[in-house]
Amino acid sequence: MKKISGIIFDLDGTLANTLPLCIRAFRQSVEPLVLRPLSDADIIATFGPSEEGTIMTLAPDQYEKGIADYLHFYEALHDMCPAPFPEIRELLDMLREKGIRIAMVTGKGRHSTDISLKQFGLTGYFEIIGTGHAKGPRKTEGIREVLSQWKSLHKDEIIYVGDAPSDITASREAGIAVIGAGWAPTTEPAALLALQPDELFYTVRDLADWLLPKTGLV
């Protein structure tokens, strides 16, 4: 791996512990529409597409209301996740100050991404933000779009940081190195290790310490 000059971050489970918030917002928005209880497993099984895709799967006959209600509850309940993980902001500040390019590629929809970034005070931190699609996963495509805009950087200078097995496979398909983010309570490190990420870290501090020499910041 060459000197790292660009970093692409995931959002849910990487920058913040937002997955419980997502599940609660889906449950409160969808259960009244389908008139039955939804387990965490029911909801998580629909993940991959953006929240629009989840609503289309769970409540296709009431899609518009489902989306509107989901976004309402996602914002209203955001006190469940009031801030990013400890030291994330410091890491992003350090990278920006030293001229490391940072982007985000997330499976979330644009509206919920904007809600979370505003809540965390991170609006404007990311040079490029790629969001999800209702029709299915598009992280590989999103990563490739970032690469196409970072033409001055070689693939060997760019890494992706994410907490899910799909982050590892998407990064491999796009041809860049991938760092497993193992610090969220919802992350399953064994599942990440099975896919052999380039590195796996269990704290943001460990990631930052690893990045310092790799980015030429020390």
Side-chain angles (χ1 to χ4, degrees), residues 35-51:
L35 302 177
R36 64 181 177 85
L38 295 170
S39 68
D40 288 3
D42 291 333
I43 296 168
I44 292 170
T46 70
F47 287 1
S50 63
E51 55 263 26

Side-chain angles (χ1 to χ4, degrees), residues 13-45:
T14 299
L15 296 185
N17 187 32
T18 44
L19 183 58
L21 165 63
C22 295
I23 291 173
R24 175 78 69 83
F26 278 124
R27 181 170 287 117
Q28 291 199 209
S29 58
V30 174
E31 284 186 346
L33 303 180
V34 299
L35 302 177
R36 64 181 177 85
L38 295 170
S39 68
D40 288 3
D42 291 333
I43 296 168
I44 292 170

Side-chain angles (χ1 to χ4, degrees), residues 6-12 14-15 88 91-92 95 100-107 125-126 128-130 139 143 146 150 159-163 167 179 181 183 204 207 211:
I7 304 175
I8 307 171
F9 288 92
D10 174 47
L11 199 166
D12 295 320
T14 299
L15 296 185
I88 282 290
L91 172 61
L92 296 177
L95 295 172
I100 305 302
R101 303 178 78 170
I102 56 176
M104 174 186 293
V105 173
T106 173
Y125 268 68
F126 300 94
I128 304 163
I129 298 176
K139 277 199 173 177
I143 293 170
V146 174
W150 285 354
I159 62 171
Y160 187 91
V161 180
D163 69 306
D167 295 329
I179 307 304
W183 47 78
V204 178
L207 169 63
L211 281 171

Side-chain angles (χ1 to χ4, degrees), residues 27-81:
R27 181 170 287 117
Q28 291 199 209
S29 58
V30 174
E31 284 186 346
L33 303 180
V34 299
L35 302 177
R36 64 181 177 85
L38 295 170
S39 68
D40 288 3
D42 291 333
I43 296 168
I44 292 170
T46 70
F47 287 1
S50 63
E51 55 263 26
E52 290 86 356
T54 291
I55 298 296
M56 183 62 75
T57 299
L58 295 175
D61 296 334
Q62 301 191 65
Y63 174 76
E64 296 295 337
K65 179 168 175 53
I67 287 296
D69 288 354
Y70 174 79
L71 292 173
H72 165 74
F73 285 116
Y74 186 81
E75 185 167 20
L77 295 168
H78 218 300
D79 283 349
M80 289 178 60
C81 184

Side-chain angles (χ1 to χ4, degrees), residues 140-213:
T140 302
E141 179 184 347
I143 293 170
R144 286 173 175 158
E145 288 173 356
V146 174
L147 299 181
S148 71
Q149 294 187 57
W150 285 354
K151 292 184 183 297
S152 62
L153 304 184
H154 190 275
K155 281 186 176 183
D156 287 350
E157 298 177 272
I158 301 169
I159 62 171
Y160 187 91
V161 180
D163 69 306
S166 58
D167 295 329
I168 297 176
T169 56
S171 300
R172 296 281 186 237
E173 289 170 1
I176 63 171
V178 57
I179 307 304
W183 47 78
T186 53
T187 301
E188 298 181 4
L192 299 181
L193 285 171
L195 293 174
Q196 299 182 321
D198 293 275
E199 299 286 345
L200 174 63
F201 297 106
Y202 296 91
T203 68
V204 178
R205 170 50 49 192
D206 286 345
L207 169 63
D209 289 345
W210 179 83
L211 281 171
L212 284 172

